[in-house]
Amino acid sequence: MSLQIFYHPFYSALALPERHRFPLAKYQGLFERLTSEGYPLVRAPAASTAQICRIHDKDYVAAALAGQLDARAIRQLGFPWSPMLIERTRHSVGATIAASHHALAQGCGLQISGGYHHAHHDHGSGFCLFNDLVIAAQSCLDEGRCEQVLIIDLDVHQGDGSAALCTGRRDIITLSLHGEHNFPRHKPASHMDFPLPSGMEDDAYLTTLAEALNLALRLYAPDLILYQAGVDVHHADELGYLALSDEGVRQRDAMVFNCARQHGLPIAAVPGGGYRRDWQQLIPLHMSLFEEAKKRYG
């Protein structure tokens, strides 16, 4: 087994309006931290238009790539359009695909960005233009690398795009633990949803997660896990509403990796959400994902 982490320098290169809520600088900070500690980093390829169009509406993809989304679509996305947005997104999707391929070959792959689970078939939402998780799952299925993918989404916000894109499917299974009273307002049904009350702390969260993982692996037989490891479950997150501690976030990541190892399943993981004006406080939380992976696969 060998661990690889995919990245691209475009991750923090996007120009955003002053005081924008998205903590874009955290990706560069995370890259610098991982580099300083000697993690194996690999520059990510860009996803192809054909790979993106396996999941998203062709007209939507064409409009997004050409900068022809209307004002309403841009508002719903939450990012201003620019050529860099497209390049950044292509490489972020490509990194999740590459991490998934590496996981299937070597046990575990990660990337520094990703987790764009609010992107739907024909529109973007919540800072998510294209759904890298479902695109990566589809790529692995199309290439015959696996037969059933389990997306474990532990971001505080339900992965409504992933849920909607995978409705009725048996080859991509969606599992979501999320804040019951948080964005999005409308939450399409995942294959398994665990809505959580505001203020939930470590013990209750980890007990629920253990039950959810156990149930998922009794009901389904995945041969690949894609893990969305948002740290917006933390008590200090500005868009969160749950109340996990630093150690709770780490134990959550450890539990998912242990589950994958116990069942002999390859796992690809992405950092997902985390929202603080002081973005540097997010770096130690995101690092738990990479540190726990390194303990088992490094």
Side-chain angles (χ1 to χ4, degrees), residues 90-195:
R90 277 190 181 274
H91 283 91
S92 189
V93 174
T96 302
I97 295 171
S100 301
H101 290 178
H102 185 78
L104 285 160
Q106 296 291 335
C108 183
L110 300 101
Q111 78 131 319
I112 293 178
S113 180
Y116 298 116
H117 58 171
H118 298 309
H120 288 252
H121 178 64
D122 61 359
H123 66 276
S125 177
F127 311 138
C128 304
L129 184 65
F130 302 137
N131 195 308
D132 62 303
L133 297 162
V134 182
I135 293 169
Q138 187 67 58
S139 172
C140 293
L141 292 165
D142 286 346
E143 296 178 17
R145 296 171 184 260
C146 59
E147 295 181 355
Q148 188 179 75
V149 182
L150 172 63
I151 297 176
I152 300 174
D153 193 332
L154 302 188
D155 195 275
V156 79
H157 305 107
Q158 194 228 22
D160 56 324
S162 301
L165 286 166
C166 299
T167 297
R169 297 189 65 155
R170 302 294 292 181
D171 52 355
I172 307 178
I173 306 302
T174 53
L175 163 63
S176 178
L177 272 68
H178 54 266
E180 182 176 14
H181 302 295
N182 210 318
F183 178 88
R185 183 179 61 82
H186 173 63
K187 298 176 175 62
S190 309
H191 290 84
M192 292 168 286
D193 278 307
F194 292 80

Side-chain angles (χ1 to χ4, degrees), residues 31-257:
F31 170 77
E32 291 171 359
R33 174 76 174 268
L34 290 164
T35 300
S36 72
E37 297 188 12
Y39 281 79
L41 291 152
V42 180
R43 186 173 293 212
S48 70
T49 300
Q51 287 172 318
I52 296 168
C53 287
R54 287 289 288 127
I55 293 301
H56 292 287
D57 176 77
K58 289 180 174 59
D59 291 339
Y60 165 62
V61 174
L65 297 181
Q68 295 174 350
L69 297 174
D70 61 29
R72 180 179 179 276
I74 292 295
R75 283 196 303 273
Q76 190 170 13
L77 173 62
F79 282 147
W81 188 91
S82 67
M84 181 55 74
L85 173 65
I86 299 305
E87 289 305 306
R88 180 188 187 278
T89 302
R90 277 190 181 274
H91 283 91
S92 189
V93 174
T96 302
I97 295 171
S100 301
H101 290 178
H102 185 78
L104 285 160
Q106 296 291 335
C108 183
L110 300 101
Q111 78 131 319
I112 293 178
S113 180
Y116 298 116
H117 58 171
H118 298 309
H120 288 252
H121 178 64
D122 61 359
H123 66 276
S125 177
F127 311 138
C128 304
L129 184 65
F130 302 137
N131 195 308
D132 62 303
L133 297 162
V134 182
I135 293 169
Q138 187 67 58
S139 172
C140 293
L141 292 165
D142 286 346
E143 296 178 17
R145 296 171 184 260
C146 59
E147 295 181 355
Q148 188 179 75
V149 182
L150 172 63
I151 297 176
I152 300 174
D153 193 332
L154 302 188
D155 195 275
V156 79
H157 305 107
Q158 194 228 22
D160 56 324
S162 301
L165 286 166
C166 299
T167 297
R169 297 189 65 155
R170 302 294 292 181
D171 52 355
I172 307 178
I173 306 302
T174 53
L175 163 63
S176 178
L177 272 68
H178 54 266
E180 182 176 14
H181 302 295
N182 210 318
F183 178 88
R185 183 179 61 82
H186 173 63
K187 298 176 175 62
S190 309
H191 290 84
M192 292 168 286
D193 278 307
F194 292 80
L196 308 175
S198 298
M200 178 176 272
E201 298 181 348
D202 293 357
D203 288 349
Y205 183 96
L206 294 169
T207 297
T208 304
L209 175 57
E211 293 170 353
L213 294 174
N214 184 48
L215 178 63
L217 292 170
R218 286 209 316 269
L219 292 177
Y220 302 103
D223 39 16
L224 172 64
I225 291 173
L226 301 186
Y227 173 33
Q228 212 277 29
V231 299
D232 41 15
V233 295
H234 190 265
H235 68 85
D237 195 86
E238 293 163 11
L239 300 181
Y241 308 162
L242 297 185
L244 270 67
S245 67
D246 292 24
E247 183 59 24
V249 171
R250 180 175 295 278
Q251 289 183 28
R252 176 202 66 171
D253 294 340
M255 184 180 292
V256 175
F257 285 125

